[in-house]
Amino acid sequence: MRKLTIISLFFALISSFTIAAEVNIFSARHYDSDIQLYEKFTAATGIKVNVVSGKDKALQKRITEEGADCVGDLYITADAGRLGAFAAKGMMQNAGWSKAIKDAVPAQFRSAKWTGIAKRARIIYYSPERVSANELNGMTYEGLADPKWKGRLVIRKSNNIYNQSLVASLVKNRGKTTTANWAKGVVANMARTPKGNDRAQIMAVAAGEADIAVANTYYHALMLSGKKGAEQQEAAKKVKPFFPNQQDRGTHINISGAGMLKHAPNKANAVKLVEFLLSTEAQNHIVNNTFEYPMIAGVTPNDLVPGKEMNFVMDTKTSVKSYGAKQADALEVMLAAGWK
Amino acid sequence: MKFNSWYLSSFIVSFVVAIPILTVFASFFQETTNYYDILKNTFLIEYIYNSLTLLIGVLILTLVLGVGCAYVVSFYDFPGVKFFKWALILSFAVPAYIYAYSLTAFFENFGTLYSILKSLFGSGEYNQSIPKFDGMLGAILSVSFSLFGYVYVLTRASFHYQSQNLIELGQNLGFTKYKSFFKIILPSARPAIVAGLALVAMETLSDFGAVSFFGIATLTTGIYDSWISFDDLAFANQLSFFLLLFILGLFFIENISRKRAQYHSPIKGGIKEKKKIKLNFSKGTLAFVFCFLVFFISFLFPVLQMLYWTIIFPKNLFDLNTFQLFSNTIYLVFLSSIVLVVFSFISNYGNRVTKSKFLNFLTTFSITGYAIPGVILAVAFITFIAWFDNTFVKAFEFNSIKKIFIGSVFGLVIVYFIRFYSLAYNGLKTGYERINRSIDESSYLLGYSKIKTFLGIHVPYLKNSVFLIGILITIEVIKELPITLILRPFNFETFATTAYIFASQDLLEAAAVPSLFLILIASTFILITSKFILKD
């Protein structure tokens, strides 16, 4: 009897009551500032936002296995490579983005199934003490394989999605064979076996472990903001940002974005939420909290973020859609090159 | 078949627990395509190499720390010995992943140690001379300091029951202390040490949080990656096979040692109360310093690092919905403890009354679930439910059962159940073995029914065991990370998931607050039970 009572108790506990106005999010981006945005959205529209956050792949696995029973509406994550690859598995549907969304987001930053919400650039950071302006003149991502950087470069592991997308863009532009040779050159130039996150790469340059690092733009701003403490603020001042490929296709740009899940039960609400995230109010909130670049025109990036004037050449020719498409090739060439 | 209902319920419990193992093996026959065929052998070797390096490093370190501490506090009297006896088990409250965060925070470029040096000696180029405890070394340290408690507790218990005669024997033979230790004390405690090390080894192999934080590719993270990231089931299973091989081997060793350990404990005649040797000043100081260092590094260090961050960034403390996290954590703890205790009772009793060989085998098989990494358990569970739903439930046109199991507290508790079943089952079994079967017989003769014997005699008799097991489960559930992370419902966070998610977003300083709460709550529970843990 006791057993029965417990079992029935359980069923009572788990039965969830669906409220009419809600939107369910699977999010791999778990910033407190995002949660504050969702609260603002609920206050403005009365639509409740439910969130499960976690690591990308685990969330994807859960969405895939839940199949038609998945109540998730939006999948929010950083990196177009993730969105593209997941959409390619057939786990998203045409979102029916409203005109407002299509007008706000340039075509190269969205597809029918997903759209960018904020932008970031993956750039080079250097030590002005040990790297001369001359050395960096005309520097490109391709140039990271130049033997002159031998033992002077730090970059994350090959399993990192930002690297995968960067290398995917190289595969797209230069072909797989050229990129495979490039990856070997990069590995030969590494000052240490890859470890740590983007911030750790910047700090390695500040600490003198290496002369140049590859990292995303917002990390530098985060350190400069003092949110990471006074020491890191000082460290951040010891390195300078450099935007590669200014003479050709431009600097590698990536997005944070949202995709419409295949079995989304609250599609209309999900579109409303994305519209809200692309509003001036929300974009201002994002740029000042996560230090990303805005997705829409008319919003200025935070003062601390490198390239805040937005006067650098962005690679707008390489569609972010190719990051997902070339992801497997990218990982393959990196692993084959012995990129840990 | 008089015992049908007991048999059936025990069978069902054991079967549920065995599901993930069966799922992993069943997936052997699925084929998948992938891009990295050529590279696979290199990966396999790397994963095995890393797992072995980690394992050996952790085993050596936990052996030295665990046995060293147990020896010193068991045989010698020095200032603080009473304090260290229980303080050393507080390391159980610090999960390896939180230890990893602290280690990184303290030693990284421009980290806490840098700040300390700077405030002491002024600005300078300290980063180059600060040792970096990351990568494999970091993983070994994090896992060792969070697990050495197993070796400590078991070895200490063994030393505690070790006959004083053995030590006197050594003295009579004219052995030096050094020789007595290696020739007499250590060998007689060997089964307990091996049992402790086997537990450490299993936990080490299944660690996910710390190892993935340091980016070490082990068999466990390899399975996770190939299964989840690349949908490469075939390779995942190949890896699982190796991992299970390791684990079953360890399980076997642990079981044998546990059995042998019983022969070594004095059954009759009690034990002669040991007179602890009082150490002179210099040796006493040495013993104190050793114990204090272990206590400091394993417990105070991570706590202080987290505290430091909380003080430097107090905003994180006020931003956190502590009450909600606390109630979620306690809710999970409460449900899973009850379910685990109740069902292990049923299963233990079923095994006792039916005396079925098959049931016994199934139970033994199913409790290996403990050795399966939580992260793999969670994914296996999802895979199983999806398969079951698609194959059976849909075929009979019932409503899908997925929502009931995936992303619900119910499903979460089931998987906790599978994960911690062996802890509860074995705990109760130890208690049960102390109840003589003749008591059951007498009870039946007096006209008590099975159920009345169970409720009226066994349950009250095992009150203490139940209490202890309840608390051990509590500590484990509070620290549990991968299962909760993968299976939790919408808008549902615990201290562990909050800490992990902050850390994975490069917000280690924000992870400090939930980590600190987690450690404090777990410590409280450990202190409540320290009396029991140290006795048995």
Side-chain angles (χ1 to χ4, degrees):
Chain A
M1 268 306 97
R2 185 192 285 200
K3 201 167 64 174
L4 269 182
T5 325
I6 288 167
I7 291 172
S8 50
L9 194 75
F10 266 138
F11 276 96
L13 283 171
I14 49 119
S15 48
S16 52
F17 304 97
T18 31
I19 357 171
E22 61 175 5
V23 55
N24 301 322
I25 297 176
F26 278 84
S27 175
R29 244 176 86 97
H30 181 90
Y31 295 113
D32 266 2
S33 54
D34 284 7
I35 303 290
Q36 291 159 11
L37 269 183
Y38 303 150
E39 281 165 3
K40 280 186 188 170
F41 173 71
T42 306
T45 61
I47 299 169
K48 187 168 183 273
V49 183
N50 300 314
V51 186
V52 174
S53 51
K55 281 269 191 186
D56 267 283
K57 296 295 181 179
L59 287 179
Q60 290 185 7
K61 183 81 184 171
R62 181 163 151 187
I63 295 166
T64 312
E65 293 288 356
E66 284 183 0
D69 300 299
C70 181
V71 294
D73 297 303
L74 285 176
Y75 170 54
I76 294 184
T77 187
D79 208 286
R82 282 174 180 151
L83 288 165
F86 199 45
K89 283 184 186 162
M91 294 314 299
M92 291 186 195
Q93 60 168 314
N94 286 344
W97 299 129
S98 59
K99 186 169 181 303
I101 294 174
K102 286 179 182 166
D103 286 347
V105 182
Q108 73 266 25
F109 296 126
R110 61 178 155 84
S111 79
K113 300 184 165 92
W114 48 265
T115 177
I117 285 168
K119 299 195 292 266
R120 63 273 297 284
R122 192 154 185 77
I123 62 169
I124 293 169
Y125 291 90
Y126 67 98
S127 156
E129 290 167 18
R130 298 184 298 278
V131 179
S132 65
N134 193 27
E135 241 182 327
L136 272 175
N137 194 13
M139 180 68 179
T140 58
Y141 296 108
E142 285 83 345
L144 292 170
D146 190 320
K148 76 175 172 188
W149 299 114
K150 192 165 180 60
R152 302 170 70 189
L153 164 72
V154 280
I155 186 165
R156 284 173 90 150
K157 291 181 173 246
S158 55
N159 67 9
N160 173 249
I161 187 75
Y162 306 146
N163 279 347
Q164 289 174 16
S165 288
L166 173 64
V167 178
S169 78
L170 281 160
V171 172
K172 173 81 181 167
N173 284 299
R174 302 281 167 179
K176 197 170 163 184
T177 322
T178 314
T179 310
N181 287 326
W182 170 85
K184 282 180 197 140
V186 169
V187 172
N189 286 344
M190 289 178 182
R192 62 178 190 194
T193 314
K195 62 180 183 185
N197 52 31
D198 274 14
R199 209 167 35 80
Q201 316 305 318
I202 299 174
M203 288 202 288
V205 172
E209 270 184 68
D211 296 344
I212 54 170
V214 177
N216 285 353
T217 37
Y218 53 91
Y219 281 100
H220 195 226
L222 181 68
M223 292 168 73
L224 286 171
S225 72
K227 283 186 181 174
K228 290 279 168 184
E231 317 301 354
Q232 297 201 10
Q233 200 172 16
E234 284 305 305
K237 289 177 186 161
K238 292 185 182 172
V239 301
K240 292 250 177 301
F242 182 89
F243 288 81
N245 294 66
Q246 291 301 291
Q247 275 83 43
D248 53 16
R249 65 179 184 278
T251 298
H252 175 77
I253 296 291
N254 210 325
I255 56 164
S256 282
M260 187 69 72
L261 290 171
K262 192 176 177 186
H263 303 285
N266 311 295
K267 211 172 150 181
N269 289 348
V271 172
K272 274 187 202 153
L273 177 62
V274 173
E275 277 173 6
F276 172 76
L277 292 174
L278 290 165
S279 67
T280 310
E281 181 196 6
Q283 291 279 304
N284 268 316
H285 184 95
I286 291 173
V287 296
N288 290 315
N289 279 284
T290 66
F291 302 111
E292 288 164 290
Y293 299 133
M295 184 49 79
I296 65 170
V299 173
T300 14
N302 187 282
D303 251 359
L304 297 169
V305 70
K308 62 181 178 213
E309 297 85 6
M310 302 302 281
N311 54 3
F312 61 93
V313 183
M314 289 188 201
D315 179 3
T316 49
K317 282 167 230 121
T318 319
S319 165
V320 296
K321 287 167 212 160
S322 63
Y323 303 168
K326 299 287 178 199
Q327 191 182 80
D329 287 341
L331 185 57
E332 192 185 332
V333 298
M334 284 193 280
L335 289 174
W339 190 324
K340 288 287 171 191
Chain B
M1 289 292 276
K2 263 204 284 185
F3 309 125
N4 245 341
S5 64
W6 286 111
Y7 188 95
L8 195 67
S9 40
S10 306
F11 177 82
I12 290 172
V13 170
S14 301
F15 184 74
V16 167
V17 177
I19 281 175
I21 306 175
L22 298 174
T23 309
V24 171
F25 276 114
S27 332
F28 261 104
F29 305 104
Q30 303 191 6
E31 271 185 46
T32 42
T33 51
N34 70 91
Y35 316 97
Y36 319 108
D37 265 330
I38 329 140
L39 296 165
K40 270 188 190 163
N41 288 331
T42 349
F43 284 164
L44 183 62
I45 290 166
E46 189 192 337
Y47 293 160
I48 292 178
Y49 175 80
N50 281 343
S51 288
L52 276 178
T53 314
L54 179 73
L55 193 60
I56 292 168
V58 169
L59 286 179
I60 292 174
L61 205 56
T62 50
L63 176 75
V64 172
L65 295 173
V67 176
C69 290
Y71 173 69
V72 176
V73 302
S74 302
F75 293 102
Y76 298 105
D77 195 10
F78 58 94
V81 63
K82 286 220 173 77
F83 166 77
F84 288 126
K85 207 167 86 180
W86 59 264
L88 286 167
I89 57 171
L90 283 176
S91 60
F92 275 125
V94 184
Y97 55 90
I98 290 182
Y99 200 90
Y101 304 159
S102 314
L103 208 56
T104 306
F106 191 76
F107 290 104
E108 74 176 343
N109 285 327
F110 306 100
T112 310
L113 181 56
Y114 176 88
S115 302
I116 293 173
L117 290 173
K118 199 179 146 194
S119 65
L120 287 179
F121 308 110
S123 302
E125 295 293 320
Y126 304 117
N127 287 308
Q128 306 280 15
S129 31
I130 291 172
K132 299 287 181 289
F133 294 108
D134 49 20
M136 181 58 88
L137 184 60
I140 290 176
L141 290 175
S142 305
V143 175
S144 299
F145 278 105
S146 69
L147 293 180
F148 85 95
Y150 283 113
V151 182
Y152 168 71
V153 167
L154 290 175
T155 312
R156 214 198 69 91
S158 158
F159 284 157
H160 185 73
Y161 290 110
Q162 211 166 53
S163 169
Q164 177 71 7
N165 299 335
L166 282 179
I167 291 148
E168 282 168 1
L169 176 76
Q171 285 167 353
N172 291 341
L173 287 170
F175 282 11
T176 59
K177 271 202 207 97
Y178 181 79
K179 205 169 174 190
S180 295
F181 179 72
F182 282 103
K183 294 280 175 200
I184 300 173
I185 297 173
L186 208 54
S188 75
R190 202 178 60 195
I193 297 172
V194 174
L197 286 177
L199 283 174
V200 168
M202 277 191 269
E203 294 272 345
T204 306
L205 284 176
S206 58
D207 180 79
F208 186 78
V211 166
S212 67
F213 180 76
F214 285 119
I216 309 285
T218 62
L219 284 168
T220 298
T221 60
I223 294 166
Y224 179 83
D225 280 343
S226 43
W227 195 350
I228 295 189
S229 306
F230 304 129
D231 285 318
D232 187 350
L233 277 174
F235 191 48
N237 286 316
Q238 208 181 335
L239 295 176
S240 308
F241 178 76
F242 279 100
L243 185 69
L244 282 181
L245 216 62
F246 269 127
I247 286 168
L248 288 175
L250 289 165
F251 203 74
F252 188 67
I253 294 171
E254 196 258 355
N255 251 329
I256 290 182
S257 316
R258 197 200 287 268
K259 282 198 186 109
R260 265 205 250 146
Q262 284 167 2
Y263 296 120
H264 285 256
S265 51
I267 298 153
K268 285 181 186 149
I271 44 163
K272 190 172 162 189
E273 193 51 46
K274 274 198 290 287
K275 261 209 302 271
K276 283 190 179 175
I277 299 162
K278 199 157 168 51
L279 291 175
N280 63 24
F281 179 75
S282 58
K283 282 185 179 164
T285 312
L286 204 67
F288 176 86
V289 168
F290 177 70
C291 289
F292 182 77
L293 271 182
V294 177
F295 172 61
F296 183 86
I297 298 174
S298 66
F299 183 74
L300 282 185
F301 163 68
V303 170
L304 288 175
Q305 174 62 51
M306 297 296 157
L307 210 55
Y308 170 76
W309 260 339
T310 310
I311 293 165
I312 299 250
F313 305 104
K315 188 175 168 289
N316 294 323
L317 177 63
F318 305 116
D319 283 353
L320 201 67
N321 193 345
T322 315
F323 178 75
Q324 186 66 49
L325 294 181
F326 183 76
S327 56
N328 284 350
T329 305
I330 294 303
Y331 177 55
L332 287 180
V333 158
F334 180 72
L335 283 179
S336 30
S337 314
I338 290 186
V339 174
L340 272 159
V341 167
V342 168
F343 282 95
S344 349
F345 245 127
I346 294 173
S347 197
N348 257 304
Y349 190 71
N351 262 314
R352 187 177 173 96
V353 294
T354 59
K355 295 176 191 135
S356 155
K357 280 255 159 57
F358 174 69
L359 200 56
N360 201 351
F361 167 77
L362 188 66
T363 317
T364 314
F365 179 66
S366 63
I367 55 179
T368 50
Y370 178 64
I372 296 188
V375 57
I376 292 165
L377 213 55
V379 180
F381 180 74
I382 293 183
T383 311
F384 174 80
I385 295 294
W387 168 81
F388 187 83
D389 191 72
N390 295 337
T391 320
F392 297 106
V393 181
K394 292 260 164 69
F396 294 101
E397 299 186 356
F398 285 119
N399 282 332
S400 162
I401 55 158
K402 283 184 199 167
K403 271 183 210 166
I404 301 174
F405 291 99
I406 305 174
S408 69
V409 170
F410 182 56
L412 207 49
V413 171
I414 292 182
V415 183
Y416 284 159
F417 179 78
I418 297 171
R419 175 87 170 96
F420 301 123
Y421 179 64
S422 85
L423 188 72
Y425 181 85
N426 279 333
L428 266 186
K429 195 174 159 196
T430 320
Y432 246 120
E433 275 163 2
R434 292 203 202 113
I435 308 180
N436 203 308
R437 274 175 199 275
S438 58
I439 292 178
D440 295 21
E441 305 294 329
S442 323
S443 158
Y444 301 151
L445 281 175
L446 287 170
Y448 273 41
S449 65
K450 291 257 150 39
I451 187 92
K452 216 167 169 191
T453 309
F454 176 65
L455 292 177
I457 296 174
H458 294 168
V459 174
Y461 202 95
L462 292 168
K463 222 168 43 200
N464 274 348
S465 298
V466 169
F467 174 70
L468 176 64
I469 291 161
I471 299 226
L472 287 181
I473 293 166
T474 302
I475 296 164
E476 291 292 335
V477 171
I478 291 173
K479 294 195 291 179
E480 207 292 321
L481 179 66
I483 297 172
T484 324
L485 201 61
I486 294 177
L487 286 170
R488 72 200 194 286
F490 279 103
N491 309 328
F492 190 95
E493 304 289 345
T494 64
F495 287 117
T497 60
T498 311
Y500 176 80
I501 285 171
F502 278 132
S504 67
Q505 301 282 353
D506 191 29
L507 296 167
L508 276 183
E509 60 286 339
V513 180
S515 302
L516 205 55
F517 275 106
L518 188 155
I519 295 174
L520 289 182
I521 298 170
S523 302
T524 313
F525 281 107
I526 289 171
L527 289 182
I528 295 174
T529 39
S530 63
K531 212 170 64 191
F532 293 90
I533 297 174
L534 289 173
K535 208 188 284 173
D536 213 331

